[in-house]
Amino acid sequence: MSSTATSEEPVLRKILHFDSAPEVYTADACVMTCFDARFDAAIRKLLKRRGIGVFDHVKIPGSAKALGAPDCEGDRDFAMRMVQTSIRLHKPARFVLIGHNDCGAYPGKPPQVVAADLRQAAAFLRAAVPSIPVETYFADFDGIYEIA
Ligand SMILES: [Zn+2]
């Protein structure tokens, strides 16, 4: 047997010292994006400009496709549990849903298809949580677009 599983207590060995604030926060937003890192800088800039400094970041490949056009219902349940946990713990003031161009979840699809799913996701969220406003955006290689 070459299994490394053991019933012994795990040992925690400190490898970095860094002081993190222990206070529980109230989130300016719960932000849902794809995990595609190409748009991280643009999204950071957008959020800062929108007054969003502290936020819960739900990163799912395909972003809000899980809510708006899920491949299976389990995806939507999983995404909604993350959203509900954000609400319970950090009471976000708004939801921000951001899709992007050239997303692996939308091979060969034009921005309008991604935008339509984001709109569907927003409608789903508004119905599920009417008290929290929802904003939707599309990140492209030349900037970020509001979805009207
Ligand atoms: Zn993506």
Side-chain angles (χ1 to χ4, degrees), residues 114-138:
V114 180
D117 282 359
L118 285 163
R119 219 162 48 177
Q120 279 282 110
F124 179 83
L125 266 184
R126 286 187 188 104
V129 192
S131 59
I132 301 180
V134 187
E135 300 171 14
T136 52
Y137 302 97
F138 181 81

Side-chain angles (χ1 to χ4, degrees), residues 34-36 38-39 60-63 100-106:
C34 182
F35 64 17
D36 194 312
R38 292 176 290 176
F39 302 95
I60 309 172
S63 184
H100 70 90
N101 204 353
D102 195 35
C103 184
Y106 295 90

